[in-house]
Amino acid sequence: MSRSERLLDLIQCLRRHRRPVSGHTLADEMGVSIRTLYRDIATLQGQGAPIEGEAGLGYVLKPGFMLPPLMFSDEEIEAIVLGSRWVAKQPDQRLSAAAANALAKIAAVLPDDLREDLDASTLLVGPPAAAIEGIDLGLVRQAIRNERKLGFLYRDAGGAASERVVWPFALSFFDKVRVVVAWCELRQDFRHFRADRIAELQATDTRYPRRRQALLKEWRATLDKPRGS
């Protein structure tokens, strides 16, 4: 177990005790020496954890303490790195840059041992597929966040074109394509639009009449039903 994981476990152990608990009891539960236990408590206190007490009297974690967000386990570090590296290789340039920036910000404030784990991660992402959509996915993501309608020209698998006005509420990322999930005013139903078949994308200032989360919930309930395009 890494030191960061041990500190996380110590926080959880203290949370299980509502009354002061002795250092020896904590050390037994953690499977560490009393000296290591005292050192770990001092480290957590130095990082802002409101642990009250002292050797011989017992320790208690004050209620309401939120775990510092930059204390991660080894697997959490791997998940963050892998996810960020994957997003950084996506064709959405703004999202790609944001992923790289976020990873750099996290690395800048991590403790030394966790920063080393992040830099040494051996979970790699392969080369991305060539981007073939000609629209700005950043506009789609902004419309989803702001619950705004989008207009565009859409070509189906057979090449037939139609003008659409949609209420976008999700964007799915696959290896080779991106798919806009939306309510389509033309079809009066949920539809999935491949981004590489969208042209003449137009963002609007018109808010669609439903909440994004409500649309997402209804769409999920219909996933087992066959639908056209």
Side-chain angles (χ1 to χ4, degrees), residues 4-5 8 67-83 114 118:
S4 59
E5 289 179 307
L8 288 171
L67 194 64
L70 295 176
M71 293 179 62
F72 300 113
S73 68
D74 290 341
E75 290 191 341
E76 288 170 340
I77 286 287
E78 290 181 336
I80 291 170
V81 172
L82 184 61
L114 292 185
L118 186 147

Side-chain angles (χ1 to χ4, degrees), residues 158-225:
S162 59
E163 293 184 357
R164 306 290 182 109
V165 175
V166 304
W167 310 349
F169 57 86
L171 183 60
S172 296
F173 288 78
F174 298 88
D175 287 340
K176 296 183 179 180
V177 297
R178 267 53 60 185
V179 176
V180 181
V181 186
W183 174 268
C184 178
E185 292 187 352
L186 177 65
R187 303 304 187 198
Q188 285 296 295
D189 205 348
F190 295 112
R191 287 292 187 268
H192 305 144
F193 300 96
R194 285 180 48 153
D196 58 324
R197 295 177 182 169
I198 293 175
E200 301 178 16
L201 179 67
Q202 295 180 347
T204 77
D205 291 327
T206 305
R207 180 184 291 274
Y208 48 74
R210 305 280 305 283
R211 295 311 305 267
R212 179 180 65 246
Q213 291 301 321
L215 290 170
L216 185 63
K217 182 178 180 179
E218 288 184 22
W219 168 73
R220 284 173 171 164
T222 67
L223 289 180
D224 293 333
K225 299 178 180 179

Side-chain angles (χ1 to χ4, degrees), residues 106-121:
I106 292 173
V109 295
L110 281 175
D112 290 341
D113 59 334
L114 292 185
R115 187 182 304 114
E116 291 176 1
D117 290 343
L118 186 147
D119 292 337
S121 175

Side-chain angles (χ1 to χ4, degrees), residues 52-65:
E52 298 181 343
E54 58 184 73
L57 298 177
Y59 298 92
V60 64
L61 180 67
K62 293 179 64 176
F65 171 66

